[in-house]
Amino acid sequence: MRRIGVLTSGGDAPGMNAAIRAVVRTGIDHGFETFGARHGFAGLIAGSLVPLGARDVSGIMQYGGTMLGSARSDEFKTVKGRTEALRVLHQHDIEALVVIGGNGSQQGAYALHAEGYPVVGVASTIDNDLYGSEITIGVDTALNIALEAIDRLKTTASSHQRAFLVEVMGRDCGYLALMVAVAGGAEAVVIPEIPTDPDAVAAELREAYKRGKSHAIVVVAEGDQFNAQALARHFAEHRDELGFQLRVTTLGHVQRGGAPGAFDRLLATRLGAAATQQLADGSAGVLVGLRKGEIATTPLAEVVKHKKQLDTELLALATVLAR
Ligand code: F6P
């Protein structure tokens, strides 16, 4: 094999650049020439391909986002879109593709694989909801950004005896919220995996106030039936007496931006290198991820079939620690 392609797809994640760099440079080591598709599968369909040599990926590792750009492509979900993407790949003599992304992206990778085209997926999403990898590129940085925000919020919250509802990303997965709540010492956490009773959350805040706390933090997963705004509205409509004054902060895309931390740079580098190793070994149709701390592969067919389960055991611990 001489020519491979690489693309980043779906929500960008801090560390994607390190993964691209690793694919390109380890690819050179295997004798590959690498082409990058701009803006994910959309770029493939549009024929927007750039040759990537060792120098083209210099100085990118310390930046968040992705130098190739990313997108969610509806067109690629259609047979017509995929046929066009395959035509472009064949036209450029690109014999295999590395897809760096999360759930939607790996669905796309699997669709190409199912049509007989060699694809290797690299596990990358801040949501950490991808089956086949215990942690994905971007998660650690996103957690640290949310933690820094919470540490900051606590100082202003304490000054005014306020409670903050802090909404974090994660789509329909509560992983980021739960980890941030435990590591940030939150008084409560609201995640989609557990049914939310807003009256119970109000009671927890009231009790924390009575126990003499100077502030309270409730971490709310964006995918919960009650996001932060809905929870605040519920408290207002029910005239819930919380003790604390209430404020809402939505972290949103702040969590996805900025420089990747050491963990994500290392993980992304290892996964990018593992992806080209797979191709060099003549293997494809797999996701490279981390399992039990080791680089491991999972068939894309399994990845798209399973939903990663959130270990909610830490929830009980978070409650005990919030005394
Ligand atoms: O999948 C990553 C993610 O950041 C989710 O946490 C969030 O729900 C979604 O992407 C936001 O998507 P967009 O950037 O398209 O608004």
Side-chain angles (χ1 to χ4, degrees), residues 30-53:
H30 294 300
F32 301 157
E33 218 185 322
T34 303
F35 279 71
R38 292 201 185 282
H39 302 292
F41 292 112
L44 266 193
I45 295 169
S48 183
L49 296 168
V50 280
L52 294 175

Side-chain angles (χ1 to χ4, degrees), residues 127-202:
D127 299 340
N128 208 19
D129 60 348
L130 185 61
Y131 184 84
S133 194
E134 61 205 16
I135 194 151
T136 48
I137 297 170
V139 172
D140 185 70
T141 304
L143 285 176
N144 280 303
I145 292 168
L147 281 179
E148 192 197 329
I150 285 185
D151 292 347
R152 285 171 186 268
L153 288 173
K154 276 184 178 178
T155 61
T156 172
S158 290
S159 309
H160 293 268
Q161 261 207 311
R162 283 175 174 162
F164 273 78
L165 302 179
V166 186
E167 186 175 297
V168 299
M169 275 192 163
R171 203 178 287 277
D172 52 4
C173 173
Y175 179 90
L176 284 180
L178 182 54
M179 297 304 139
V180 163
V182 174
E187 275 58 38
V189 57
V190 165
I191 54 174
E193 287 81 359
I194 308 277
T196 299
D197 174 0
D199 295 326
V201 179

Side-chain angles (χ1 to χ4, degrees), residues 9 31 38 49 68 71 94 104 141 192 203 211 217 221 241 255:
S9 161
R38 292 201 185 282
L49 296 168
L68 286 173
I94 296 173
T141 304
R211 292 201 301 278
I217 300 286
E241 201 40 70
Q255 273 174 273

Side-chain angles (χ1 to χ4, degrees), residues 21 25 55 57-63:
R21 174 178 175 271
R25 292 195 175 169
R55 292 284 70 72
V57 292
S58 291
I60 62 168
M61 201 164 43
Q62 63 273 36
Y63 295 113

